[in-house]
Each structure stands twice: as C-alpha cells, then as structure tokens.
Amino acid sequence: MRERVLIIEDDERILQFVQRGLAYEGYRVDTAPDGTVGLALARETPPDLVILDWMLPGLDGLEVCRRLRAGGGVPILMLTAKDLVADRVEGLDAGADDYLVKPFDFDELLARIRALLRRVKPGGVQVLSFIDLRLDTGTHQAFRGGRPIDLTAKEYELLELFLRHPRQVLTRQVIYDRVWGYDFGGESNIIEVYIRYLRQKTEAENEYRLIHTVRGVGYVLREAA
C-alpha cells in the first residue's frame, strides 16, 4: 500500500493543490488546517511523512515540528515563504528534514518526498563507531564514551555521514549533497555552523577533537594528530 502523507497547511488553495497532486500520484493523504489538528491526526494515524507549513494559526510550524520530532522519527518537509539561510537553519534545527520555499514546483516537491521516504525505508539497524564515538541508527542516539549526546535531525545526519566515511576527507559539496540534498549557495556558512555544533557536543567534556578541518577542501573524521 502506498505511503500516507499528512499535510498541515492553512492556505486552502495550496492544501488542495498538494492534496490533489499527491492523491493522483497514489499517496494516501490526510490534511489538517492548523497545527493542533495536525498533531492530533499524526498521533491518531501516524503518517509516513509530514508536509508542514511554517506560518500556521495558533501553534506555528516550528513548534509543531519540535513536537513531532520529540514523538518519533517521521520525515518532515517544511513549506514556507521564508527564504533566508537563517530561516532554513532555524527550521532544520527545529527538526525538519527538508525545506521548500513557496512558490514551489510540484515536481520538485514530489522529488523531495521520494528522497525523504527512501531515507527511512528499512535497511538494517547499525551501530556506527569510531574510537569512542558511537551512533545507533535505530534509535538515533549518539555517545562519546559512555556520555549520551543529544542531536538535532541535521546534526544526526551529518555525524552519520562522517561515521560512514571515517578518515575520508568530505568536501563541502559532498556534505551539501548528502545531508541537505540541495545547495544553500556558495556564500552560505551552514556547514561551518553545524560542524561547530557537532564539535561542541562531541567535545563537551574536554574530549579530544575527532572532526578536523582540511583547509580549502572540507572536513574529516580522524584520530587526533
């Protein structure tokens, strides 16, 4: 049976447009006009993916995103008119897996939905490790030694990428492609921001650094020099 998609959107025109298009593509579609109804639907009938508007009446999209993320690992695609890099970072930090700016092309929306659903299809739970850093791909829990590390959705994806390619230098473009799936623009410092977040969390108790900068190229997970 085709995947179930929950659309939480207060703009009736956009809601009907996306609903009709997804139904035509064979998806099972539930809709909600605001965040409160959307959260209730997500709990009653858990979807395979959520399309979430940022600007919602009452409970806004960021808060809905945080609550959905706290309740599980359902993929969340945010729709918004906010197109600044800072806005994208805020949305991703709240737990969104992807971000699409209005107005958008429906074919691009479909492509992003397919990409997000591919990520969560069962592929076997693994515990990835390097030195004393561990990541459980089933529970999304990370540990440095015996110390648990809380990660946002994007921090998890970035750390998973490093742990799947230890000692391999990852270029900025590879990181953009694998973690965000699209380019934030050559002037964006989003990778540096998230590297800093990961370093702060993995070195919180003065542990030695594992994520190193390769100047002019990218980053690498390796032992301390």
Side-chain angles (χ1 to χ4, degrees):
M1 187 178 291
R2 198 68 191 267
E3 295 93 341
R4 182 185 298 277
V5 177
L6 171 61
I7 308 168
I8 307 176
E9 169 65 68
D10 67 323
D11 186 318
E12 185 66 23
R13 181 181 58 84
I14 294 176
L15 183 65
Q16 291 185 5
F17 167 69
V18 176
Q19 180 185 23
R20 284 196 304 267
L22 292 182
Y24 179 79
E25 294 293 326
Y27 292 98
R28 294 175 293 157
V29 183
D30 294 323
T31 64
D34 59 56
T36 303
V37 174
L39 278 174
L41 274 176
R43 288 164 181 161
E44 291 167 10
T45 310
D48 296 296
L49 181 139
V50 175
I51 298 174
L52 176 63
D53 182 32
W54 182 314
M55 305 297 289
L56 291 169
L59 214 58
D60 71 13
L62 285 182
E63 183 58 28
V64 173
C65 187
R66 292 187 188 101
R67 296 190 190 187
L68 286 171
R69 181 58 61 228
V74 62
I76 301 170
L77 171 60
M78 290 199 79
L79 298 180
T80 178
K82 294 174 175 284
D83 60 355
L84 298 177
V85 170
D87 295 323
R88 297 182 186 183
V89 170
E90 187 176 8
L92 295 169
D93 273 348
D97 296 285
D98 203 351
Y99 191 110
L100 191 57
V101 176
K102 300 175 183 177
F104 55 87
D105 182 88
F106 186 73
D107 285 338
E108 182 178 5
L109 175 65
L110 278 178
R112 300 220 180 168
I113 289 172
R114 289 193 296 266
L116 288 173
L117 290 172
R118 279 197 301 271
R119 289 188 203 174
V120 297
K121 285 185 178 176
V125 173
Q126 293 178 281
V127 176
L128 306 174
S129 63
F130 183 77
I131 314 296
D132 60 347
L133 184 62
R134 291 185 295 119
L135 185 68
D136 188 319
T137 65
T139 63
H140 283 206
Q141 290 181 306
F143 298 88
R144 183 80 194 261
R147 177 175 64 84
I149 302 171
D150 291 326
L151 299 173
T152 66
K154 285 300 168 188
E155 288 168 356
Y156 168 84
E157 288 187 39
L158 182 56
L159 184 58
E160 181 184 13
L161 178 63
F162 280 118
L163 283 166
R164 289 191 183 278
H165 302 276
R167 303 187 185 91
Q168 178 181 335
V169 177
L170 301 176
T171 66
R172 290 171 52 86
Q173 191 58 55
V174 164
I175 295 173
Y176 274 136
D177 291 344
R178 299 288 184 85
V179 178
W180 282 273
Y182 54 96
D183 197 346
F184 274 82
E187 300 304 314
S188 170
N189 68 338
I190 192 167
I191 292 177
E192 288 77 7
V193 169
Y194 274 84
I195 291 292
R196 185 169 72 250
Y197 291 163
L198 278 184
R199 283 173 173 167
Q200 288 171 348
K201 293 185 176 184
T202 58
E203 303 168 16
E205 295 190 358
N206 295 318
E207 295 98 340
Y208 59 85
R209 178 157 296 177
L210 290 176
I211 301 173
H212 300 268
T213 302
V214 180
R215 296 198 180 279
V217 182
Y219 299 90
V220 61
L221 179 71
R222 61 167 172 79
E223 300 88 342

